[in-house]
Amino acid sequence: MIFDVEMIRKVYSELPQKLEKIRSVLSRPLTLTEKILYAHLAAGENLKSFERATDYVNFDPDRVAMQDATAQMALLQLMNSGRQKVAVPSTVHCDHLIQAHVDAKSDLNTATISNREVYDFLTDVSNKFGIGFWKPGAGIIHQVVLENYAFPGGMMIGTDSHTPNAGGLGMIAIGVGGADAVDVMAGMPWELKMPKLIGVKLTGRMSGWTSPKDVILKLAGILTVKGGTNAVIEYFGEGTATISATGKGTICNMGAEVGATTSIFPFDEKSAAYLSATGRSEIAELATAIIGHLQPDPEVVANPEKYYDRVIEINLDELEPYVNGPFTPDLAWPLSEFAAKVKENGYPQKLEAGLIGSCTNSSYEDLTRAASIVAGARRDGLKAAARFIINPGSELVRYTAERDGLIEEFEAVGGVIMANACGPCIGQWKRETDDPTRPNSIITSFNRNFAKRNDGNPNTHAFVASPEIVAALTIAGDLCFNPLKDGLKNEQGVEICLQEPSGYELPAKGFEVKDAGYIAPVEDGSKVSVKIDPESKRLQELKPFPAWDGKDYVQQPLLIKVKGKCTTDHISMAGPWLRFRGHLDNISDNMLIGAVNTFNDATNAVLDPASGEYIAVPALARKYKAKGIGSVVVAEENYGEGSSREHAAMEPRFLNVKAILVKSFARIHETNLKKQGMLALTFADKADYDKVRENDTISILGLTEFAPGKNLTIVLHHIDGTSEQFEAVHTYNEQQIGWFRAGSALNAMKK
């Protein structure tokens, strides 16, 4: 079925006239990103040439998507908004709370029982507010969105950092926190700093073992985990037309790993073919009729350096497969060099598990290309030497893959088909191992590979590659195996060379499914009652955060000075903690328990000045809060990298942390902190980080004159009676300062 067709028709009917006006005001050709952003300026927003990376701009997105883990907090906030029904089409997707353990059927049954309270809550709120609901087993949010909701030229926000997956169909799709989603669902404009533009020119055509995943794996090595911060990555050039829509989605999806606001491809014949194959021929026809408006202007393509802030060129003819990792997604190794690096760095060479799936690589095309390798290996007498796990992206993909014999191929070599859900990608993997202290290696087609990300084990070296490379290395069970040149011996001792992958972008017999898993909301939600048990351990009604008291923060104790990488996984772990995503008090017990304390190189051990003992981070914060005292967190670069989860901002707010002072922030996390009424500050001089001592109390002065572009003053009060003073920078505008004063963006909205 086609969702929201009238809304899409309206977008397309208005786009040509809007772009004509935009060009007349800007007086220059437009990139695709600019076309969509400027066409979605909020009502009342003055049309002008906004300065990239400087001006905050209000937008009116077309839709909102939420996954079940983040939807809980978003919908709890929506319930406090005073709204009766969502203002834009919105959906909830139950994909995060399903643990991968046995197999699809068993794990889905377990999840349905163990998460019933949460699923019932999400169902009731969806019915009450007119939100579409995708039940457990329907699929991973971003694959389902690509199959049903993404459309060229549209704009969407989603409560998951990999929302940019929809850029594969030419949509501006941006990952946000739940408070941002509430703004849009409540009919408010959504604010974003006008992004810089990174143009990536693709030439040539991929062949052999190279896949779309290798484009973003290579790019991650070029840009690093923060090289795309406050920027949109726009792909252009003749090479874009050679990549399938789902392949483009893969590339856009993992743009989150370089910190990009989003990524996008132009609309083309591949996009139209995918729309038609997924039952949206009418959308394909409408888009094709205005195709020039859904691509960058020709002048931009001809002279990209004039219109993008940075241009990177990748020749697909020369691109080789990549393997990235371990412990960070931007450590990029060409496959031809990888084996040597494994040995040189002492990574465990034996491969213990290979995992295909996640929102990044679980399409029909992904499964067919991986299955072609598996089928050839099986015919030659080979089986998987490592544990082999496959998570299809949606029930549409799974059902079609089963019909076409792909599932049977994976199972024939020992593969286990898990539920259509995120599973191991987000730590929802109940991995059984004989010795969790043993350094070990796994390879996945996922997007992230932070320490403990997949299985909670800090000794697991996780590497990221394409499904094709994952399949090949899993059959070999050897991280140093290169399928482009190495052979494998079967049980008869015959050396076998794996065949090059081959597959189908779209199923030859079309997609098929019996029950896609969608449940439409009831017509009249006013009669729906949403009840939360006061004794529940999973759900808790939200109480508004207190407003700012009008005073500077004086001598607040240091809670923790974080050393090195501190992602949202370090700040608010997933895995078993996902069960508390709707209960702010309970989940706050995981606040910063993965962060490394600079002063003792330990996790979850900070100095309690009163006792002189090292205690858990949340315990110390709760101790301060009970006494009416706040605290301050100090950290290093790209703080809050990774997921969009706003719990990483709400937990410190709930535990009375007053400010986060860092060398730099990841985009989504900085916004989440602002939305919750927190102070998100950066060192004016990064060297001042070194001045912070373990027993310090910290004053933040200048809040009574808090204003855009005006630095605040930090005073460190040392235990020896001395003090040091320096400046902190912020990026707050007037509206965001209003959120701080009100106690949160939601408080300000209700006013």
Side-chain angles (χ1 to χ4, degrees):
M1 65 181 291
I2 301 179
F3 292 91
D4 313 316
V5 66
E6 292 304 322
M7 178 265 284
I8 297 172
R9 283 196 191 112
K10 184 173 185 291
V11 170
Y12 287 162
S13 67
E14 295 175 351
L15 189 59
Q17 186 176 353
K18 282 185 175 181
L19 292 181
E20 183 179 349
K21 183 178 180 181
I22 292 163
R23 278 196 198 87
S24 68
V25 172
L26 272 58
S27 300
R28 59 174 171 80
L30 301 173
T31 65
L32 175 58
T33 300
E34 289 173 319
K35 290 181 179 182
I36 301 174
L37 288 179
Y38 278 92
H40 283 84
L41 291 178
E45 186 74 46
N46 183 39
L47 174 57
K48 65 175 186 176
S49 182
F50 294 101
E51 187 174 346
R52 297 174 188 171
T54 299
D55 289 341
Y56 283 93
V57 187
N58 288 316
F59 296 97
D60 285 333
D62 298 312
R63 66 173 308 106
V64 172
M66 298 166 280
Q67 40 95 334
D68 52 352
T70 50
Q72 295 171 63
M73 198 57 70
L75 296 181
L76 285 165
Q77 293 175 85
L78 180 64
M79 290 168 64
N80 285 340
S81 70
R83 186 84 188 183
Q84 301 302 310
K85 191 172 183 178
V86 291
V88 301
S90 304
T91 50
V92 168
H93 303 258
C94 295
D95 63 352
H96 273 56
L97 300 180
I98 303 168
Q99 187 179 60
H101 181 212
V102 180
D103 56 35
K105 183 178 180 181
S106 300
D107 295 345
L108 191 56
N109 287 339
T110 299
T112 302
I113 295 168
S114 62
N115 299 316
R116 178 169 287 123
E117 179 184 14
V118 172
Y119 292 150
D120 288 348
F121 167 76
L122 295 175
T123 302
D124 289 343
V125 180
S126 295
N127 277 323
K128 187 169 186 65
F129 289 93
I131 298 170
F133 183 80
W134 290 82
K135 63 186 181 182
I140 305 172
I141 175 172
H142 309 305
Q143 180 66 29
V144 173
V145 165
L146 199 70
E147 292 169 357
N148 296 276
Y149 299 109
F151 67 96
M155 185 177 187
M156 175 179 74
I157 63 170
T159 62
D160 189 281
S161 55
H162 293 102
T163 299
N165 193 81
L169 272 179
M171 190 177 205
I172 288 288
I174 301 174
V176 300
D180 282 343
V182 172
D183 282 353
V184 177
M185 290 190 290
M188 304 284 286
W190 174 65
E191 183 188 65
L192 176 73
K193 184 181 288 187
M194 184 59 78
K196 294 179 292 184
L197 298 180
I198 298 174
V200 178
K201 182 178 182 180
L202 301 182
T203 61
R205 176 186 290 269
M206 289 176 289
S207 61
W209 285 87
T210 305
S211 78
K213 183 68 163 279
D214 299 309
V215 173
I216 188 60
L217 292 177
K218 177 181 176 67
L219 190 62
I222 295 171
L223 290 174
T224 77
V225 291
K226 64 175 186 175
T229 303
N230 290 324
V232 171
I233 301 173
E234 182 173 316
Y235 294 86
F236 68 97
E238 65 271 21
T240 62
T242 68
I243 303 173
S244 69
T246 52
K248 291 168 183 167
T250 291
I251 296 168
C252 292
N253 177 297
M254 203 174 156
E257 272 52 71
V258 297
T261 300
T262 192
S263 301
I264 191 167
F265 275 82
F267 175 72
D268 58 25
E269 291 182 2
K270 299 281 191 183
S271 316
Y274 185 77
L275 285 167
S276 297
T278 49
R280 294 172 287 173
S281 295
E282 182 178 353
I283 309 303
E285 292 169 5
L286 290 170
T288 300
I290 57 167
I291 189 170
H293 299 307
L294 302 174
Q295 298 175 340
D297 285 341
E299 298 91 337
V300 172
V301 176
N303 299 287
E305 289 79 8
K306 289 180 60 177
Y307 303 100
Y308 297 105
D309 298 288
R310 179 179 179 182
V311 176
I312 298 168
E313 184 168 340
I314 297 176
N315 185 340
L316 302 180
D317 287 333
E318 299 172 357
L319 182 65
E320 67 172 296
Y322 271 73
V323 179
N324 288 23
F327 306 129
T328 184
D330 61 346
L331 187 58
W333 309 111
L335 186 61
S336 59
E337 302 174 14
F338 183 57
K341 295 299 180 182
V342 169
K343 294 174 181 177
E344 180 182 320
N345 293 303
Y347 303 145
Q349 183 173 338
K350 179 185 177 183
L351 189 63
E352 298 198 8
L355 302 99
I356 292 175
S358 88
C359 60
T360 317
N361 279 111
S362 54
S363 67
Y364 184 83
E365 181 183 21
D366 289 328
L367 296 187
T368 58
R369 284 177 62 85
S372 73
I373 297 166
V374 167
R378 180 177 60 82
R379 285 193 297 271
D380 288 327
L382 295 170
K383 286 194 172 184
R387 190 179 182 195
F388 201 7
I389 292 174
I390 299 94
N391 286 80
S394 68
E395 179 58 12
L396 182 72
V397 168
R398 189 212 63 80
Y399 189 92
T400 306
E402 183 177 46
R403 180 202 67 190
D404 294 347
L406 305 180
I407 300 299
E408 183 181 356
E409 290 291 359
F410 287 119
E411 291 177 334
V413 296
V416 177
I417 309 301
M418 296 293 185
N420 312 319
C422 304
C425 182
I426 58 163
Q428 284 284 61
W429 182 19
K430 190 174 181 180
R431 184 182 179 192
E432 295 170 348
T433 178
D434 58 343
D435 182 8
T437 66
R438 181 187 69 252
N440 71 97
S441 292
I442 66 172
I443 191 164
T444 79
S445 69
F446 305 163
N447 38 50
R448 295 198 174 127
N449 57 348
F450 305 138
K452 301 195 283 188
R453 168 79 178 185
N454 304 126
D455 60 2
N457 185 350
N459 299 300
T460 296
H461 295 59
F463 298 87
V464 177
S466 68
E468 297 91 325
I469 297 300
V470 170
L473 269 62
T474 303
I475 290 167
D478 184 352
L479 210 55
C480 292
F481 174 68
N482 183 345
L484 279 72
K485 66 182 184 66
D486 298 336
L488 295 171
K489 286 188 178 180
N490 63 16
E491 292 180 353
Q492 288 72 42
V494 178
E495 185 161 296
I496 303 298
C497 290
L498 296 181
Q499 66 181 46
E500 285 187 353
S502 62
Y504 301 93
E505 294 180 7
L506 299 167
K509 294 186 287 185
F511 283 108
E512 186 178 350
V513 68
K514 284 188 176 178
D515 178 10
Y518 176 70
I519 301 174
V522 297
E523 285 294 325
D524 182 7
S526 63
K527 298 181 176 61
V528 177
S529 176
V530 181
K531 297 177 181 178
I532 298 175
D533 183 354
E535 302 301 315
S536 172
K537 302 298 182 185
R538 299 286 301 269
L539 296 165
Q540 180 187 49
E541 288 188 19
L542 280 179
K543 295 181 180 179
F545 291 127
W548 175 55
D549 65 5
K551 302 176 183 178
D552 285 339
Y553 293 146
V554 178
Q555 291 199 288
Q556 306 294 305
L558 174 71
L559 180 63
I560 183 173
K561 182 180 178 182
V562 180
K563 177 181 179 181
K565 185 185 283 283
C566 192
T567 72
T568 48
D569 282 342
H570 295 87
I571 305 167
S572 175
M573 290 184 179
W577 290 94
L578 282 170
R579 67 186 186 278
F580 296 133
R581 285 286 180 86
H583 198 295
L584 185 54
D585 195 353
N586 283 348
I587 200 169
S588 292
D589 282 332
N590 81 356
M591 185 190 74
L592 286 161
I593 63 175
V596 176
N597 183 352
T598 302
F599 301 109
N600 60 7
D601 285 330
T603 57
N604 204 25
V606 288
L607 180 66
D608 177 5
S611 67
E613 298 177 347
Y614 284 91
I615 63 175
V617 182
L620 182 58
R622 288 185 186 276
K623 190 173 181 179
Y624 287 144
K625 181 180 179 180
K627 294 180 179 180
I629 301 171
S631 59
V632 176
V633 171
V634 174
E636 298 201 64
E637 299 281 6
N638 209 29
Y639 182 83
E641 169 194 346
S643 171
S644 69
R645 68 189 68 142
E646 65 185 335
H647 301 76
M650 295 185 79
E651 291 171 33
R653 182 73 171 95
F654 178 74
L655 294 182
N656 209 29
V657 175
K658 299 297 185 184
I660 312 291
L661 175 62
V662 303
K663 293 181 180 179
S664 66
F665 283 103
R667 175 193 64 84
I668 298 177
H669 189 65
E670 182 180 22
T671 300
N672 285 347
L673 289 168
K674 292 178 179 180
K675 285 277 184 176
Q676 301 305 331
M678 292 278 292
L679 277 181
L681 307 176
T682 57
F683 292 99
D685 180 352
K686 294 179 181 181
D688 289 332
Y689 167 89
D690 298 323
K691 297 176 180 177
V692 180
R693 303 178 191 173
E694 191 167 27
N695 279 294
D696 281 353
T697 57
I698 301 172
S699 294
I700 302 173
L701 310 180
L703 292 176
T704 55
E705 300 173 347
F706 197 6
K710 187 175 182 180
N711 291 353
L712 297 174
T713 300
I714 307 295
V715 182
L716 304 178
H717 305 275
H718 302 314
I719 197 170
D720 62 6
T722 63
S723 64
E724 295 181 78
Q725 182 173 307
F726 53 83
E727 291 193 336
V729 179
H730 68 83
T731 60
Y732 287 75
N733 60 23
E734 287 289 0
Q735 176 174 274
Q736 294 165 347
I737 291 171
W739 299 343
F740 168 75
R741 289 171 176 155
S744 72
L746 188 59
N747 289 356
M749 181 177 75
K750 289 174 71 175
K751 282 186 177 182

